[in-house]
Amino acid sequence: MTQTTDTKSTTAREAEFVRLLNNNKARVMRLCKAYTTSREDREDLFQEIAVQLWKALPTYRGEAQISTWLYRIALNVALRFSYDTKRRKPVSERISWIEETTPHPHDDATRERIEQLQRCIAALPEVDRSVMVLYLEECSYKEISEITGLTETNVGVKISRIKDKLLGCMRKDDGGAA
Amino acid sequence: MQNSDALGGKEIQDLQQLWQESAKNESINIKEQTMIKSMNPQLSNFEVEFGTGKKRTVLAYGLLTCIWAFDLIQDIRQNEGIYEIIFHAVALLFGASMLFFHFWVHRNTSHYDESSMQSYVEMNLWRTEQQLRLEHRVFPIAMAILFAFLTLDITADFSLWHTFLFGMMMTIIFIGIYAYRKGRVGDLLKPLRDKLQSALQQLNEH
């Protein structure tokens, strides 16, 4: 009886992890896009983030919101990945458990705008990029502060400055395109 | 200035919306079972460490059984003597038992619930237990029996020296190995069981 309960419990935990990953895969994917340039790297990074989330699961005590906890881990992995990619270090576990991705069905104009936004974000310095990604993810200043370790005031100042930079970049690209 | 701010706010909202859409409908299909296995390299390597119930082991024992069956038939047809016939009969019995055992394990392991890590771990643990039981209990005693008959066969054909130097010594050695190892299956399994239990506990704790 106890063993049956244990089996059910373990299966439930696994299902919980898979559910967490599935519920947040769009968020994680957007973050991956901000730190990688190729699809292969993006999938590697996604996989690495998932592995780290799995390893970190036992340490999650529910003190922070699950999204804050997830972003904190994902961002750390992304920053390390970005650093490692420059030195071409292989990802720890290259086991393919991600199936083929399908291209997004946006029209040409939207796709171009998305690519333009991604280019502008990629051009930001790494800390600014982290803050901006979280801001675009609609995280509050408090959450961004908890994730990045910056003070809330600092986050506010940074966001205001990065917003201008980002909008400037988008307008410049628009002007260039026109 | 206020107009400019309002314009900037609207633009930022558009960018936020655009950002949210950037991964919309982009499907990433996660192969859950492979993912769960790959999360713990210890578990994914676990499978390849033991040959119990593997197709290649089944094939190897299948081949050995055929060879021993052929030898036995030849012994009977050419009337090679009772000890040689018994020796090959025991070898054939051993080969056939191994073939049956590995085939049975192979069938069992290929039917476990692959979506559950608990089931995956338990099945591998069970398989390892069978492997150790085989190596430490069945194999030494089977070899001792085989060499006992080989000793009798050599005595019939060769000198008494051969009997002492080879046949009897080997029989005694395997009986010794059996006696030494028969209680070690549990000891060998314990650290393995602990390791896997801690992996499962890690899952349970969350």
Side-chain angles (χ1 to χ4, degrees), chain A:
Chain A
M1 183 67 189
T2 316
Q3 201 178 355
T4 317
T5 319
D6 281 354
T7 311
K8 275 182 187 170
S9 158
T10 310
T11 314
R13 302 293 178 198
E14 283 169 25
E16 197 181 326
F17 174 72
V18 173
R19 200 165 48 243
L20 168 81
L21 201 60
N22 274 325
N23 287 346
N24 292 286
K25 68 183 175 189
R27 282 173 173 171
V28 176
M29 200 57 187
R30 287 194 292 267
L31 197 132
C32 292
K33 280 183 171 180
Y35 286 89
T36 54
T37 47
S38 70
R39 201 176 87 174
E40 196 195 2
D41 276 353
R42 196 161 69 226
E43 287 182 357
D44 278 349
L45 176 57
F46 187 95
Q47 193 159 300
E48 188 68 6
I49 289 172
V51 170
Q52 294 308 322
L53 286 173
W54 171 264
K55 285 180 182 167
L57 258 182
T59 64
Y60 178 65
R61 296 277 171 250
E63 286 156 5
Q65 267 187 37
I66 190 90
S67 59
T68 310
W69 173 82
L70 185 137
Y71 277 132
R72 195 183 296 147
I73 290 168
L75 256 184
N76 282 335
V77 177
L79 287 168
R80 201 179 62 232
F81 184 90
S82 169
Y83 176 69
D84 285 348
T85 311
K86 283 172 196 158
R87 298 188 299 160
R88 268 282 155 240
K89 212 175 151 189
V91 182
S92 61
E93 289 162 43
R94 282 183 183 274
I95 300 163
S96 182
W97 43 261
I98 294 176
E99 282 179 319
E100 291 267 307
T101 55
T102 52
H104 45 76
H106 297 113
D107 58 67
D108 285 352
T110 313
R111 196 166 55 237
E112 203 167 303
R113 286 277 292 164
I114 289 172
E115 282 168 7
Q116 186 188 355
L117 175 64
Q118 281 164 347
R119 269 198 310 273
C120 288
I121 288 173
L124 294 170
E126 275 181 359
V127 178
D128 290 0
R129 204 187 312 170
S130 312
V131 173
M132 201 60 218
V133 165
L134 294 172
Y135 180 74
L136 291 173
E137 284 291 332
E138 296 175 353
C139 290
S140 67
Y141 284 12
K142 190 172 177 287
E143 275 179 292
I144 298 174
S145 156
E146 279 173 12
I147 296 165
T148 58
L150 300 167
T151 62
E152 267 185 73
T153 323
N154 201 352
V155 168
V157 174
K158 268 190 180 293
I159 284 175
S160 163
R161 194 170 45 80
I162 306 165
K163 255 194 313 197
D164 289 344
K165 217 192 267 184
L166 189 65
L167 288 174
C169 173
M170 293 294 285
R171 284 173 195 146
K172 195 170 77 184
D173 272 17
D174 282 346

Side-chain angles (χ1 to χ4, degrees), chain B residues 78-121:
Chain B
Q78 291 169 11
N79 201 14
E80 290 282 350
I82 187 71
Y83 296 124
E84 186 132 349
I85 289 173
I86 294 174
F87 170 71
H88 277 128
V90 174
L92 177 64
L93 195 70
F94 175 68
S97 311
M98 288 296 105
L99 176 65
F100 172 76
F101 168 77
H102 286 288
F103 183 68
W104 173 62
V105 175
H106 176 74
R107 267 186 66 96
N108 275 344
T109 44
S110 57
H111 284 96
Y112 73 97
D113 174 16
E114 292 193 330
S115 64
S116 155
M117 189 148 123
Q118 175 96 23
S119 159
Y120 170 75
V121 168

